[in-house]
Amino acid sequence: IQHRSYTTDSVKRLFTAIGQGAASGIKPMGVLADFIEVDSAYEKATEEFLVEELEYVVVDRGEDAQRGIELMRQDLDGRATFLVHPEPDSQMSRGRVAEPPIGPETGIVGRLSDVLKMTNGFRYAPTELLPRVTRCF
């Protein structure tokens, strides 16, 4: 996480505290940026648009998120957003949001969801998980 210039100091402090053993029971899977791949032509635009979402701390369970919140409140200065990794059986439970067509008549050049690939278990995540991605044109 140290090499990500867009990651806030508070998220860096959280990972440092976890790495030093100051946060027992919290095992983050990474930040959301670790779960996203995007076409190189759209990489910079995606980073600028999803700057906050890319630093979401991904955890396996709600209990890990709660422990992380408690750690932030008690011992660390700053804020962090925790995103609970979706359960495999719930990933395809919701449909996609209706999207307008692409073309010169609509003025839409492309959809972020067409160039962004979610990986490591987020591939079929519900659209409500990151509405900015599914509603970005």
Side-chain angles (χ1 to χ4, degrees):
I1 197 147
Q2 303 262 338
H3 70 280
R4 292 190 176 91
S5 60
Y6 55 79
T7 303
T8 63
D9 289 338
S10 58
V11 172
K12 288 178 185 176
R13 283 193 297 273
L14 173 69
F15 276 85
T16 299
I18 292 168
Q20 294 174 345
S24 63
I26 303 173
K27 296 180 182 174
M29 301 170 76
V31 291
L32 188 59
D34 299 328
F35 295 83
I36 293 178
E37 295 177 5
V38 66
D39 293 345
S40 59
Y42 299 97
E43 191 170 322
K44 184 68 174 164
T46 301
E47 278 184 11
E48 290 178 11
F49 183 70
L50 296 177
V51 68
E52 291 179 20
E53 288 85 352
L54 291 175
E55 68 179 61
Y56 285 1
V57 179
V58 179
V59 294
D60 192 40
R61 302 169 310 168
E63 295 83 16
D64 291 330
Q66 187 61 39
R67 286 187 197 111
I69 292 167
E70 290 169 15
L71 177 65
M72 294 300 295
R73 284 184 182 157
Q74 295 173 2
D75 299 329
L76 301 174
D77 184 32
R79 297 180 179 186
T81 301
F82 294 88
L83 179 64
V84 178
H85 195 276
E87 292 291 326
D89 59 347
S90 69
Q91 291 176 348
M92 296 183 68
S93 64
R94 296 188 175 108
R96 293 182 57 91
V97 174
E99 298 175 346
I102 294 175
E105 64 281 351
T106 62
I108 298 173
V109 176
R111 296 177 186 90
L112 179 59
S113 60
D114 290 341
V115 298
L116 186 133
K117 179 181 172 189
M118 303 294 280
T119 63
N120 298 328
F122 279 100
R123 183 172 179 202
Y124 298 108
T127 56
E128 291 84 1
L129 189 65
L130 291 171
R132 288 186 73 189
V133 171
T134 57
R135 296 182 184 120
C136 177
F137 304 95

